[in-house]
Amino acid sequence: MQMIDAETVHRLLPYKMLIKELKEMHKKKIPEGDIVYTKDPSGADNMFVTMPGWLSGKLIVVKMVGVFPSNRDRDPPIGSVLGAVTAFDSKTGRPILVADGEAMTYRKTAAISGLGTALLAPPGPEELLIVGAGGLSSHVTMAHIAARPSISRIQVWNRTKHRAETLAAKLCGQGLEAKATTDLDTAVTEADIISCVTMSRVPLVKGALLKPGAHLDLVGSYLPDMRETDDDAMGRGSIYTCCDRGRDEVGELTLPMDSGALSFDDILGDAFELVQGRVSGRVSDQEITVYKNIGGAHQDVFTTSILKTVAGL
């Protein structure tokens, strides 16, 4: 059984390649999968997540991660999503690899958002807004740039200003034009692509401010009480999701449904249908598109399968 550390995961899965390979895998049927959330019995805002998935004839993959939001406030800070991804031969059950769970989560989540941008974002976008400055945010940034290389300017907003400044400085250090902003509303009006990577329980992005042609990528909300944008965005935008599973479990979709601003019939399709040509996607440069990255075990199965191949296992 091969152990693959975080540095190796990031080296073997560059976003341009990963997005391309994930697109190919979306031409197939979605793998079987499940997700189990176990809450911290102490009452703290922590969670342990177990996600088994099965790609018929190839791999069984189980991701096991702890979600500990307060980790970023430790001294020194550590990642808030830590764990491991394991892969087994689907014919024999033989263990094949164990990979760093944080690195795999960053790579697959960012690449799935990058895939959404490749499928739905306007042609030739220049301005990218990143809402949230946690560990995943830099990866999401690079995935969007891999999907749309025309991006030349990046703004970063975070509730805590110094974290936005830290991320912007990191991106500048990679040769990108990036700056922190404290004016989220103005940044929304300027952005061609907006990617929200937070654990917010209140809407941050105001749909009324989205400019014609904008693409809104919603990553962070994964629980029923979480959301990163408001009802106006759902009313103005053409809505897509990464898959057809879990739509009734994320607040980003269920809360506007509760208010009557959205219905299941308003969701026009998912990444599988877009890749397979069963839905058309963006039809004009002026259309606003909204893409909810729900997550799911299938993403871990796909990404681990790609990792296995490029690692030569």
Side-chain angles (χ1 to χ4, degrees):
M1 181 171 60
Q2 182 73 41
M3 306 291 291
I4 303 179
D5 62 16
E7 181 180 353
T8 305
V9 168
H10 291 308
R11 176 173 57 82
L12 291 178
L13 298 177
Y15 285 113
K16 185 176 181 180
M17 178 277 288
L18 183 54
I19 292 169
K20 178 182 177 181
E21 292 301 318
L22 284 170
K23 183 176 180 180
E24 284 298 310
M25 301 200 84
H26 277 72
K27 294 178 181 179
K28 305 172 184 177
K29 184 180 178 181
I30 186 170
E32 294 300 317
D34 201 356
I35 183 167
V36 179
Y37 296 107
T38 304
K39 295 183 178 180
D40 189 332
S42 74
D45 192 21
N46 303 318
M47 189 173 297
F48 196 83
V49 185
T50 308
M51 302 174 68
W54 194 312
L55 184 58
S56 181
K58 289 195 174 183
L59 284 181
I60 301 167
V61 174
V62 183
K63 185 170 82 170
M64 301 161 286
V65 293
V67 182
F68 287 69
S70 62
N71 280 357
R72 60 191 177 186
D73 299 320
R74 293 178 179 273
D75 187 16
I78 60 175
S80 59
V81 181
L82 301 173
V85 174
T86 58
F88 305 83
D89 184 278
S90 67
K91 296 177 182 177
T92 66
R94 176 181 62 88
I96 298 171
L97 66 85
V98 177
D100 183 88
E102 180 183 54
M104 290 293 287
T105 298
Y106 284 168
R107 285 280 150 178
K108 68 99 177 182
T109 304
I112 290 295
S113 281
L115 177 61
T117 289
L119 296 169
L120 293 169
E126 297 180 350
E127 185 90 26
L128 170 65
L129 170 61
I130 300 295
V131 180
L136 178 58
S137 298
S138 63
H139 291 276
V140 168
T141 301
M142 301 312 297
H144 288 305
I145 292 173
R148 285 288 190 268
S150 59
I151 293 170
S152 58
R153 298 182 301 277
I154 304 159
Q155 293 196 73
V156 181
W157 179 90
N158 192 73
R159 280 198 181 96
T160 307
K161 180 182 177 182
H162 79 85
R163 285 184 175 151
E165 293 172 338
T166 298
L167 176 55
K170 178 181 179 180
L171 296 173
C172 288
Q174 295 174 308
L176 301 170
E177 182 181 330
K179 67 177 183 179
T181 181
T182 57
D183 188 348
L184 177 58
D185 286 353
T186 297
V188 168
T189 67
E190 297 169 345
D192 301 305
I193 298 173
I194 302 167
S195 187
C196 296
V197 195
T198 75
M199 292 186 180
S200 181
R201 285 175 165 80
V202 296
L204 299 171
V205 171
K206 297 174 183 175
L209 301 179
L210 295 170
K211 73 179 187 180
H215 174 66
L216 177 59
D217 170 51
L218 302 168
V219 184
S221 63
Y222 63 94
L223 294 176
D225 62 341
M226 289 180 171
R227 66 186 307 189
E228 298 178 298
T229 194
D230 60 12
D231 288 356
D232 285 341
M234 296 303 182
R236 294 187 67 198
S238 300
I239 313 299
Y240 297 86
T241 59
C242 66
C243 63
D244 63 1
R245 296 177 181 173
R247 290 173 173 174
D248 58 348
E249 299 173 358
V250 292
E252 205 72 73
L253 301 175
T254 59
L255 292 173
M257 287 180 185
D258 290 344
S259 72
L262 183 71
S263 72
F264 280 110
D265 290 340
D266 294 322
I267 301 174
L268 300 180
D270 61 39
F272 288 87
E273 293 171 314
L274 287 164
V275 168
Q276 294 170 20
R278 291 186 281 134
V279 295
S280 60
R282 175 180 290 272
V283 296
S284 78
D285 290 349
Q286 299 298 299
E287 182 181 7
I288 294 171
T289 51
V290 179
Y291 178 77
K292 176 55 190 154
N293 185 343
I294 299 172
H298 70 282
Q299 296 179 3
D300 298 290
V301 174
F302 283 164
T303 305
T304 305
S305 178
I306 296 166
L307 177 65
K308 173 182 175 292
T309 298
V310 298
L313 300 177

